[in-house]
Amino acid sequence: MKIGVIGAGSWGTALAVLLGRKGLPVSLWVRRTGLLEKIGKMRINSDYLPDVSIPENIRLTNDLEEAVCRKNFVILSVPSHALVSIMREIRDFTGRHTIIINTAKGLAEGPDMRLSQVITRLAPQSRVAVLSGPNHAEEVGRLLPTASVVASTEEAVAEKVQDLFMAPTFRVYTSPDIIGVELGGALKNIIAIGAGVCDGLNYGDNTKAALLTRGLVEITRLGLALGAHRGTFSGLTGMGDLFVTCASRHSRNRYVGMMLGKDHSLKEVTSAMKMVAEGIRTTRIAYALSQKHSVKMPITREIYKLLFLEKDPQQAVKNLMQRQKTHEIEEIAFD
């Protein structure tokens, strides 16, 4: 069993460490030469995961061919906007024996909106799985117990990836609903930006609880319109990931919203960040999808206006609170 992890950000590093501690042979691809040298010298990724030691059995490289060629599993931990360029560079090093596992929680522009679709289009000879769930790298790297979901259209692939990642502190479930798992992981970032806005405006627990609940409704609506199963959004990659991303101090998307709520501009916030907040890009794509499929997503609409039209955060909240009255759940409305 040979494993290549592409991307030495916080999540790629944490997954490499998780697998390395199981005694598995792992190659970790580091894009920047300077960071590669720092990690090699200190055995710590001081830029992205400074509190976690990197085992000696993890081989560091900035050669994509070395990281991918003849690997059984290739784990992609790069931002969604970089996925196409990375896939074009590595696809010739993959084959039918390769299982490509995407771990980014975002969406792509164009008809291949889900990231697994992008991977399949660019490397049709390989098999594809998605890993998602309420998993912050900072805690996974410190061996704090958590659970995750691996989804694939092939049961055998899902089970192989499940076996790969299962560990005493990392429990993995399988799912055939790759659409729902991907959408749950991506769309919760939009609601997390909203949760950060609530914190930035010094609103309370009641506000955030209402936001999360109605946010899950929006995620489910769009998911169903795109072919997902409703039950997926009650699981780890739906409600679970939504909760942790909206509540955690580790959440980049919550941080973006919090700074916007404190009257900072989006440009100011993102220019000061080392890592990518996927929810910004995802909001734009999800808003366009809601328009295309006529799906009601009022929270997403207000966050879109907040991010891209410089709408005042307090006005956005006011608009949500004063919308036309309606029933809570469509399926059990009064006749």
Side-chain angles (χ1 to χ4, degrees):
M1 186 184 297
K2 296 180 180 179
I3 306 151
V5 179
I6 309 303
S10 59
W11 191 219
T13 303
L15 290 175
V17 168
L18 175 73
L19 297 171
R21 285 174 177 161
K22 291 179 65 175
L24 299 174
V26 180
S27 294
L28 176 61
W29 179 75
V30 188
R31 180 176 59 86
R32 290 185 284 123
T33 303
L35 180 59
L36 176 72
E37 293 173 351
K38 281 171 43 176
I39 296 175
K41 182 177 180 180
M42 303 169 60
R43 301 308 295 186
I44 291 175
N45 188 341
S46 57
D47 283 16
Y48 295 103
L49 208 64
D51 298 326
V52 177
S53 297
I54 297 176
E56 293 292 338
N57 62 320
I58 295 177
R59 179 177 176 81
L60 305 172
T61 180
N62 62 358
D63 184 330
L64 277 171
E65 181 176 359
E66 179 184 347
V68 175
C69 196
R70 293 186 293 278
K71 299 297 190 295
N72 305 102
F73 299 94
V74 174
I75 301 166
L76 298 179
S77 291
V78 298
S80 60
H81 69 264
L83 189 70
V84 170
S85 62
I86 287 291
M87 283 303 306
R88 285 174 175 161
E89 290 191 65
I90 71 171
R91 60 184 171 184
D92 290 341
F93 310 134
T94 66
R96 179 62 188 169
H97 69 281
T98 312
I99 296 177
I100 301 177
I101 307 162
N102 180 55
T103 69
K105 297 176 179 179
L107 299 175
E109 308 277 3
D112 293 332
M113 170 265 303
R114 290 183 291 106
L115 302 184
S116 67
Q117 293 176 303
V118 175
I119 296 168
T120 298
R121 172 170 58 84
L122 294 174
Q125 73 279 12
S126 299
R127 292 169 290 172
V128 180
V130 172
L131 183 73
S132 189
N135 312 131
H136 281 305
E138 296 83 355
E139 297 183 4
V140 171
R142 291 166 49 212
L143 301 181
L144 301 181
T146 189
S148 196
V149 180
V150 58
S152 177
T153 56
E154 300 179 57
E155 183 177 9
V157 170
E159 290 178 348
K160 286 181 180 180
V161 179
Q162 180 184 40
D163 291 340
L164 174 70
F165 283 108
M166 280 285 282
T169 59
F170 199 79
R171 182 170 178 80
V172 184
Y173 296 83
T174 61
S175 172
D177 184 15
I178 195 168
I179 299 174
V181 168
E182 284 188 278
L183 290 176
L187 297 175
K188 53 87 184 179
N189 286 327
I190 304 172
I191 310 305
I193 293 174
V197 171
C198 291
D199 292 334
L201 293 172
N202 293 315
Y203 291 154
D205 295 337
N206 294 350
T207 312
K208 190 175 288 187
L211 176 78
L212 267 66
T213 305
R214 297 308 301 174
L216 187 59
V217 170
E218 292 193 13
I219 292 170
T220 305
R221 282 176 183 161
L222 186 58
L224 293 177
L226 296 175
H229 293 273
R230 182 182 297 275
T232 298
F233 301 109
S234 299
L236 288 166
T237 191
M239 181 176 65
D241 206 358
L242 177 66
F243 172 80
V244 77
T245 310
C246 289
S248 175
R249 59 188 172 86
H250 300 306
S251 171
R252 306 168 205 169
N253 294 284
R254 174 184 165 275
Y255 173 80
V256 168
M258 185 170 63
M259 292 297 102
L260 293 174
K262 291 182 177 179
D263 207 28
H264 294 276
S265 71
L266 181 60
K267 185 177 180 180
E268 288 175 337
V269 177
T270 55
S271 62
M273 294 177 67
K274 262 185 193 177
M275 295 181 277
V276 174
E278 290 278 13
I280 298 171
R281 175 185 169 97
T282 300
T283 298
R284 185 177 66 249
I285 299 171
Y287 178 68
L289 286 169
S290 72
Q291 299 291 101
K292 178 180 178 181
H293 295 278
S294 300
V295 177
K296 294 179 181 178
M297 300 183 72
I299 297 172
T300 299
R301 183 188 65 232
E302 293 301 323
I303 294 173
Y304 172 83
K305 292 180 179 179
L306 181 68
L307 291 172
F308 301 110
L309 302 180
E310 299 183 352
K311 187 165 188 175
D312 177 69
Q314 291 185 329
Q315 184 61 48
V317 174
K318 184 178 179 181
N319 288 353
L320 289 171
M321 294 299 294
Q322 296 183 357
R323 290 175 61 237
Q324 183 178 358
K325 62 183 181 180
T326 184
H327 46 266
E328 182 185 18
I329 301 172
E330 287 86 346
E331 292 85 349
I332 56 173
F334 291 104
D335 293 332

Short mmCIF file of all heavy atoms in Angstrom, two decimals, residues 92-142:
data_model
loop_
_atom_site.label_atom_id
_atom_site.label_comp_id
_atom_site.label_asym_id
_atom_site.label_seq_id
_atom_site.Cartn_x
_atom_site.Cartn_y
_atom_site.Cartn_z
N ASP A 92 -1.36 11.81 -15.85
CA ASP A 92 -0.57 10.84 -16.60
C ASP A 92 0.17 9.87 -15.69
O ASP A 92 0.70 8.85 -16.18
CB ASP A 92 0.43 11.56 -17.51
CG ASP A 92 -0.26 12.29 -18.66
OD1 ASP A 92 -1.42 11.95 -18.97
OD2 ASP A 92 0.36 13.21 -19.23
N PHE A 93 0.22 10.16 -14.40
CA PHE A 93 0.90 9.29 -13.44
C PHE A 93 -0.07 8.36 -12.72
O PHE A 93 0.32 7.61 -11.83
CB PHE A 93 1.67 10.11 -12.41
CG PHE A 93 2.56 11.16 -13.00
CD1 PHE A 93 2.58 12.45 -12.49
CD2 PHE A 93 3.38 10.86 -14.09
CE1 PHE A 93 3.39 13.43 -13.05
CE2 PHE A 93 4.20 11.83 -14.64
CZ PHE A 93 4.21 13.12 -14.13
N THR A 94 -1.36 8.44 -13.08
CA THR A 94 -2.38 7.61 -12.43
C THR A 94 -2.90 6.56 -13.41
O THR A 94 -2.69 6.66 -14.61
CB THR A 94 -3.56 8.47 -11.93
OG1 THR A 94 -4.24 9.04 -13.07
CG2 THR A 94 -3.08 9.59 -11.03
N GLY A 95 -3.59 5.56 -12.86
CA GLY A 95 -4.15 4.51 -13.71
C GLY A 95 -5.34 3.86 -13.04
O GLY A 95 -5.86 4.36 -12.04
N ARG A 96 -5.77 2.73 -13.58
CA ARG A 96 -6.93 2.02 -13.02
C ARG A 96 -6.66 1.57 -11.58
O ARG A 96 -7.57 1.43 -10.78
CB ARG A 96 -7.26 0.82 -13.92
CG ARG A 96 -8.45 -0.03 -13.44
CD ARG A 96 -9.73 0.77 -13.40
NE ARG A 96 -10.82 0.02 -12.77
CZ ARG A 96 -11.98 0.54 -12.41
NH1 ARG A 96 -12.20 1.82 -12.61
NH2 ARG A 96 -12.91 -0.19 -11.84
N HIS A 97 -5.41 1.35 -11.27
CA HIS A 97 -5.07 0.91 -9.91
C HIS A 97 -5.15 2.05 -8.89
O HIS A 97 -5.11 1.81 -7.69
CB HIS A 97 -3.64 0.35 -9.90
CG HIS A 97 -2.60 1.42 -10.12
ND1 HIS A 97 -2.31 1.91 -11.39
CD2 HIS A 97 -1.80 2.10 -9.26
CE1 HIS A 97 -1.38 2.85 -11.28
NE2 HIS A 97 -1.05 2.99 -10.00
N THR A 98 -5.24 3.29 -9.38
CA THR A 98 -5.18 4.45 -8.48
C THR A 98 -6.57 4.82 -7.98
O THR A 98 -7.51 4.96 -8.76
CB THR A 98 -4.60 5.67 -9.23
OG1 THR A 98 -3.42 5.29 -9.93
CG2 THR A 98 -4.30 6.80 -8.25
N ILE A 99 -6.68 5.02 -6.68
CA ILE A 99 -7.88 5.60 -6.08
C ILE A 99 -7.54 7.03 -5.69
O ILE A 99 -6.65 7.26 -4.86
CB ILE A 99 -8.37 4.81 -4.86
CG1 ILE A 99 -8.79 3.39 -5.29
CG2 ILE A 99 -9.54 5.53 -4.18
CD1 ILE A 99 -9.22 2.52 -4.12
N ILE A 100 -8.21 7.98 -6.32
CA ILE A 100 -7.99 9.40 -6.02
C ILE A 100 -9.04 9.84 -5.01
O ILE A 100 -10.24 9.69 -5.24
CB ILE A 100 -8.08 10.26 -7.30
CG1 ILE A 100 -7.03 9.79 -8.32
CG2 ILE A 100 -7.87 11.73 -6.96
CD1 ILE A 100 -7.09 10.53 -9.64
N ILE A 101 -8.58 10.37 -3.89
CA ILE A 101 -9.46 10.76 -2.79
C ILE A 101 -9.42 12.28 -2.66
O ILE A 101 -8.38 12.85 -2.33
CB ILE A 101 -9.02 10.12 -1.46
CG1 ILE A 101 -8.88 8.60 -1.62
CG2 ILE A 101 -9.99 10.46 -0.34
CD1 ILE A 101 -8.06 7.96 -0.52
N ASN A 102 -10.54 12.92 -2.91
CA ASN A 102 -10.59 14.37 -2.74
C ASN A 102 -11.01 14.72 -1.32
O ASN A 102 -11.96 14.14 -0.78
CB ASN A 102 -11.58 15.01 -3.72
CG ASN A 102 -11.62 16.52 -3.54
OD1 ASN A 102 -10.60 17.19 -3.61
ND2 ASN A 102 -12.80 17.05 -3.27
N THR A 103 -10.33 15.69 -0.73
CA THR A 103 -10.66 16.12 0.63
C THR A 103 -11.03 17.60 0.70
O THR A 103 -11.38 18.09 1.78
CB THR A 103 -9.49 15.85 1.60
OG1 THR A 103 -8.39 16.72 1.30
CG2 THR A 103 -9.03 14.40 1.51
N ALA A 104 -10.94 18.32 -0.42
CA ALA A 104 -11.31 19.74 -0.42
C ALA A 104 -12.83 19.87 -0.34
O ALA A 104 -13.57 19.07 -0.92
CB ALA A 104 -10.78 20.43 -1.68
N LYS A 105 -13.30 20.91 0.35
CA LYS A 105 -14.74 21.13 0.52
C LYS A 105 -15.13 22.41 -0.21
O LYS A 105 -15.25 23.47 0.38
CB LYS A 105 -15.09 21.22 2.01
CG LYS A 105 -14.79 19.92 2.77
CD LYS A 105 -15.05 20.08 4.26
CE LYS A 105 -14.76 18.78 5.00
NZ LYS A 105 -14.97 18.92 6.46
N GLY A 106 -15.29 22.28 -1.51
CA GLY A 106 -15.64 23.43 -2.32
C GLY A 106 -16.39 22.99 -3.56
O GLY A 106 -16.71 21.82 -3.74
N LEU A 107 -16.65 23.94 -4.44
CA LEU A 107 -17.31 23.69 -5.71
C LEU A 107 -16.47 24.30 -6.83
O LEU A 107 -15.66 25.20 -6.59
CB LEU A 107 -18.72 24.29 -5.73
CG LEU A 107 -19.70 23.75 -4.69
CD1 LEU A 107 -21.01 24.53 -4.76
CD2 LEU A 107 -19.95 22.26 -4.88
N ALA A 108 -16.70 23.81 -8.05
CA ALA A 108 -15.98 24.30 -9.21
C ALA A 108 -16.91 25.08 -10.13
O ALA A 108 -18.13 24.87 -10.12
CB ALA A 108 -15.34 23.13 -9.97
N GLU A 109 -16.33 25.97 -10.92
CA GLU A 109 -17.11 26.69 -11.92
C GLU A 109 -17.40 25.75 -13.09
O GLU A 109 -16.63 24.86 -13.40
CB GLU A 109 -16.31 27.89 -12.43
CG GLU A 109 -15.77 28.81 -11.35
CD GLU A 109 -16.78 29.83 -10.86
OE1 GLU A 109 -17.94 29.77 -11.33
OE2 GLU A 109 -16.40 30.66 -10.02
N GLY A 110 -18.52 25.96 -13.77
CA GLY A 110 -18.83 25.21 -14.97
C GLY A 110 -19.73 24.01 -14.72
O GLY A 110 -20.19 23.78 -13.60
N PRO A 111 -19.96 23.21 -15.75
CA PRO A 111 -20.90 22.09 -15.64
C PRO A 111 -20.44 21.01 -14.67
O PRO A 111 -21.27 20.35 -14.03
CB PRO A 111 -20.98 21.55 -17.08
CG PRO A 111 -19.73 22.03 -17.75
CD PRO A 111 -19.42 23.34 -17.12
N ASP A 112 -19.13 20.78 -14.57
CA ASP A 112 -18.60 19.84 -13.58
C ASP A 112 -18.43 20.58 -12.26
O ASP A 112 -17.34 20.95 -11.84
CB ASP A 112 -17.25 19.27 -14.05
CG ASP A 112 -17.40 18.40 -15.27
OD1 ASP A 112 -18.47 17.80 -15.44
OD2 ASP A 112 -16.45 18.32 -16.06
N MET A 113 -19.57 20.79 -11.58
CA MET A 113 -19.59 21.63 -10.40
C MET A 113 -18.98 20.94 -9.18
O MET A 113 -18.26 21.55 -8.39
CB MET A 113 -21.04 22.06 -10.14
CG MET A 113 -21.31 22.75 -8.83
SD MET A 113 -21.88 21.59 -7.55
CE MET A 113 -23.31 20.87 -8.31
N ARG A 114 -19.24 19.64 -9.03
CA ARG A 114 -18.66 18.91 -7.90
C ARG A 114 -17.22 18.51 -8.23
O ARG A 114 -16.91 18.16 -9.37
CB ARG A 114 -19.51 17.69 -7.57
CG ARG A 114 -20.85 18.04 -6.95
CD ARG A 114 -21.65 16.81 -6.56
NE ARG A 114 -22.10 16.06 -7.71
CZ ARG A 114 -21.59 14.91 -8.13
NH1 ARG A 114 -20.56 14.36 -7.49
NH2 ARG A 114 -22.07 14.28 -9.19
N LEU A 115 -16.37 18.52 -7.23
CA LEU A 115 -14.95 18.29 -7.47
C LEU A 115 -14.67 16.88 -7.94
O LEU A 115 -13.74 16.65 -8.72
CB LEU A 115 -14.15 18.63 -6.22
CG LEU A 115 -14.31 20.07 -5.71
CD1 LEU A 115 -13.39 20.32 -4.52
CD2 LEU A 115 -14.04 21.08 -6.82
N SER A 116 -15.47 15.90 -7.50
CA SER A 116 -15.27 14.54 -7.98
C SER A 116 -15.55 14.44 -9.48
O SER A 116 -14.95 13.62 -10.19
CB SER A 116 -16.16 13.56 -7.21
OG SER A 116 -17.53 13.78 -7.50
N GLN A 117 -16.47 15.26 -9.97
CA GLN A 117 -16.75 15.29 -11.41
C GLN A 117 -15.55 15.82 -12.18
O GLN A 117 -15.22 15.33 -13.27
CB GLN A 117 -17.97 16.16 -11.68
CG GLN A 117 -19.28 15.61 -11.16
CD GLN A 117 -20.43 16.57 -11.38
OE1 GLN A 117 -20.40 17.71 -10.94
NE2 GLN A 117 -21.47 16.11 -12.06
N VAL A 118 -14.90 16.83 -11.63
CA VAL A 118 -13.69 17.38 -12.25
C VAL A 118 -12.61 16.31 -12.34
O VAL A 118 -11.96 16.12 -13.38
CB VAL A 118 -13.18 18.60 -11.46
CG1 VAL A 118 -11.86 19.10 -12.04
CG2 VAL A 118 -14.21 19.71 -11.45
N ILE A 119 -12.42 15.58 -11.24
CA ILE A 119 -11.39 14.54 -11.20
C ILE A 119 -11.70 13.45 -12.21
O ILE A 119 -10.82 12.99 -12.96
CB ILE A 119 -11.28 13.96 -9.78
CG1 ILE A 119 -10.82 15.03 -8.80
CG2 ILE A 119 -10.33 12.76 -9.75
CD1 ILE A 119 -10.96 14.64 -7.34
N THR A 120 -12.95 13.00 -12.27
CA THR A 120 -13.34 11.94 -13.19
C THR A 120 -13.16 12.37 -14.65
O THR A 120 -12.71 11.58 -15.49
CB THR A 120 -14.80 11.54 -12.94
OG1 THR A 120 -14.92 11.02 -11.60
CG2 THR A 120 -15.26 10.47 -13.92
N ARG A 121 -13.48 13.62 -14.94
CA ARG A 121 -13.32 14.11 -16.31
C ARG A 121 -11.85 14.14 -16.73
O ARG A 121 -11.50 13.79 -17.85
CB ARG A 121 -13.93 15.51 -16.44
CG ARG A 121 -13.66 16.19 -17.78
CD ARG A 121 -14.48 17.45 -17.96
NE ARG A 121 -14.26 18.43 -16.93
CZ ARG A 121 -13.26 19.31 -16.92
NH1 ARG A 121 -12.36 19.31 -17.89
NH2 ARG A 121 -13.15 20.20 -15.94
N LEU A 122 -10.98 14.55 -15.80
CA LEU A 122 -9.57 14.72 -16.15
C LEU A 122 -8.76 13.43 -16.00
O LEU A 122 -7.68 13.31 -16.59
CB LEU A 122 -8.96 15.82 -15.28
CG LEU A 122 -9.52 17.23 -15.55
CD1 LEU A 122 -8.96 18.23 -14.56
CD2 LEU A 122 -9.21 17.67 -16.98
N ALA A 123 -9.24 12.49 -15.19
CA ALA A 123 -8.54 11.20 -15.02
C ALA A 123 -9.56 10.07 -15.04
O ALA A 123 -9.78 9.39 -14.04
CB ALA A 123 -7.75 11.20 -13.71
N PRO A 124 -10.21 9.84 -16.19
CA PRO A 124 -11.29 8.84 -16.26
C PRO A 124 -10.83 7.42 -16.00
O PRO A 124 -11.64 6.54 -15.69
CB PRO A 124 -11.82 9.00 -17.69
CG PRO A 124 -10.68 9.60 -18.47
CD PRO A 124 -9.98 10.49 -17.49
N GLN A 125 -9.52 7.18 -16.09
CA GLN A 125 -9.01 5.84 -15.85
C GLN A 125 -8.94 5.48 -14.37
O GLN A 125 -8.82 4.30 -14.02
CB GLN A 125 -7.61 5.70 -16.48
CG GLN A 125 -6.49 6.43 -15.74
CD GLN A 125 -6.41 7.92 -16.04
OE1 GLN A 125 -7.32 8.49 -16.64
NE2 GLN A 125 -5.32 8.55 -15.64
N SER A 126 -8.98 6.48 -13.50
CA SER A 126 -8.85 6.25 -12.06
C SER A 126 -10.21 6.16 -11.39
O SER A 126 -11.23 6.55 -11.94
CB SER A 126 -8.04 7.38 -11.42
OG SER A 126 -6.73 7.43 -11.96
N ARG A 127 -10.21 5.62 -10.17
CA ARG A 127 -11.43 5.56 -9.36
C ARG A 127 -11.40 6.70 -8.35
O ARG A 127 -10.32 7.12 -7.92
CB ARG A 127 -11.54 4.20 -8.69
CG ARG A 127 -11.78 3.08 -9.71
CD ARG A 127 -11.64 1.71 -9.11
NE ARG A 127 -10.25 1.42 -8.77
CZ ARG A 127 -9.89 0.33 -8.08
NH1 ARG A 127 -10.78 -0.52 -7.66
NH2 ARG A 127 -8.62 0.12 -7.81
N VAL A 128 -12.57 7.17 -7.96
CA VAL A 128 -12.66 8.41 -7.18
C VAL A 128 -13.48 8.20 -5.91
O VAL A 128 -14.50 7.51 -5.92
CB VAL A 128 -13.29 9.54 -8.02
CG1 VAL A 128 -13.39 10.83 -7.22
CG2 VAL A 128 -12.50 9.76 -9.31
N ALA A 129 -13.02 8.82 -4.84
CA ALA A 129 -13.75 8.84 -3.57
C ALA A 129 -13.64 10.24 -2.97
O ALA A 129 -12.77 11.03 -3.37
CB ALA A 129 -13.21 7.80 -2.60
N VAL A 130 -14.51 10.53 -2.03
CA VAL A 130 -14.53 11.82 -1.35
C VAL A 130 -14.52 11.57 0.16
O VAL A 130 -15.28 10.75 0.66
CB VAL A 130 -15.81 12.62 -1.73
CG1 VAL A 130 -15.93 13.87 -0.88
CG2 VAL A 130 -15.79 12.97 -3.21
N LEU A 131 -13.66 12.28 0.86
CA LEU A 131 -13.61 12.21 2.32
C LEU A 131 -14.11 13.53 2.89
O LEU A 131 -13.61 14.59 2.52
CB LEU A 131 -12.19 11.94 2.82
CG LEU A 131 -12.02 11.79 4.33
CD1 LEU A 131 -12.58 10.44 4.79
CD2 LEU A 131 -10.55 11.92 4.74
N SER A 132 -15.10 13.47 3.77
CA SER A 132 -15.67 14.70 4.31
C SER A 132 -16.25 14.43 5.70
O SER A 132 -16.59 13.30 6.04
CB SER A 132 -16.77 15.22 3.38
OG SER A 132 -17.21 16.50 3.77
N GLY A 133 -16.38 15.49 6.48
CA GLY A 133 -16.94 15.35 7.82
C GLY A 133 -16.50 16.48 8.73
O GLY A 133 -15.76 17.38 8.31
N PRO A 134 -16.93 16.44 9.98
CA PRO A 134 -16.59 17.51 10.94
C PRO A 134 -15.19 17.32 11.49
O PRO A 134 -15.00 16.91 12.64
CB PRO A 134 -17.66 17.33 12.02
CG PRO A 134 -17.99 15.88 11.98
CD PRO A 134 -17.85 15.45 10.55
N ASN A 135 -14.20 17.63 10.68
CA ASN A 135 -12.81 17.31 11.02
C ASN A 135 -11.90 18.52 10.84
O ASN A 135 -11.48 18.82 9.72
CB ASN A 135 -12.29 16.18 10.12
CG ASN A 135 -13.23 15.00 10.02
OD1 ASN A 135 -13.52 14.54 8.92
ND2 ASN A 135 -13.72 14.50 11.14
N HIS A 136 -11.57 19.20 11.91
CA HIS A 136 -10.58 20.27 11.83
C HIS A 136 -9.18 19.66 11.93
O HIS A 136 -8.91 18.82 12.79
CB HIS A 136 -10.78 21.28 12.95
CG HIS A 136 -11.89 22.26 12.68
ND1 HIS A 136 -11.93 23.03 11.54
CD2 HIS A 136 -13.00 22.56 13.39
CE1 HIS A 136 -13.02 23.78 11.56
NE2 HIS A 136 -13.68 23.51 12.66
N ALA A 137 -8.29 20.08 11.04
CA ALA A 137 -6.95 19.53 10.99
C ALA A 137 -6.22 19.65 12.32
O ALA A 137 -5.48 18.76 12.73
CB ALA A 137 -6.15 20.23 9.89
N GLU A 138 -6.44 20.78 12.98
CA GLU A 138 -5.74 21.03 14.25
C GLU A 138 -6.04 19.95 15.28
O GLU A 138 -5.19 19.61 16.11
CB GLU A 138 -6.14 22.41 14.80
CG GLU A 138 -5.72 23.58 13.93
CD GLU A 138 -6.68 23.87 12.79
OE1 GLU A 138 -7.66 23.10 12.60
OE2 GLU A 138 -6.46 24.88 12.09
N GLU A 139 -7.24 19.39 15.26
CA GLU A 139 -7.64 18.37 16.23
C GLU A 139 -7.29 16.96 15.75
O GLU A 139 -6.89 16.11 16.54
CB GLU A 139 -9.13 18.50 16.53
CG GLU A 139 -9.48 19.84 17.17
CD GLU A 139 -10.95 19.97 17.54
OE1 GLU A 139 -11.71 18.98 17.37
OE2 GLU A 139 -11.35 21.05 18.01
N VAL A 140 -7.43 16.72 14.44
CA VAL A 140 -7.06 15.41 13.90
C VAL A 140 -5.56 15.18 14.10
O VAL A 140 -5.13 14.09 14.50
CB VAL A 140 -7.42 15.32 12.40
CG1 VAL A 140 -6.82 14.06 11.77
CG2 VAL A 140 -8.93 15.34 12.22
N GLY A 141 -4.76 16.21 13.88
CA GLY A 141 -3.32 16.08 14.06
C GLY A 141 -2.93 15.81 15.50
O GLY A 141 -1.89 15.18 15.76
N ARG A 142 -3.76 16.25 16.44
CA ARG A 142 -3.49 16.03 17.87
C ARG A 142 -4.15 14.76 18.39
O ARG A 142 -4.18 14.51 19.59
CB ARG A 142 -3.97 17.23 18.67
CG ARG A 142 -3.14 18.49 18.43
CD ARG A 142 -3.84 19.73 18.97
NE ARG A 142 -4.32 19.54 20.34
CZ ARG A 142 -5.40 20.12 20.84
NH1 ARG A 142 -6.16 20.90 20.07
NH2 ARG A 142 -5.75 19.91 22.10
#
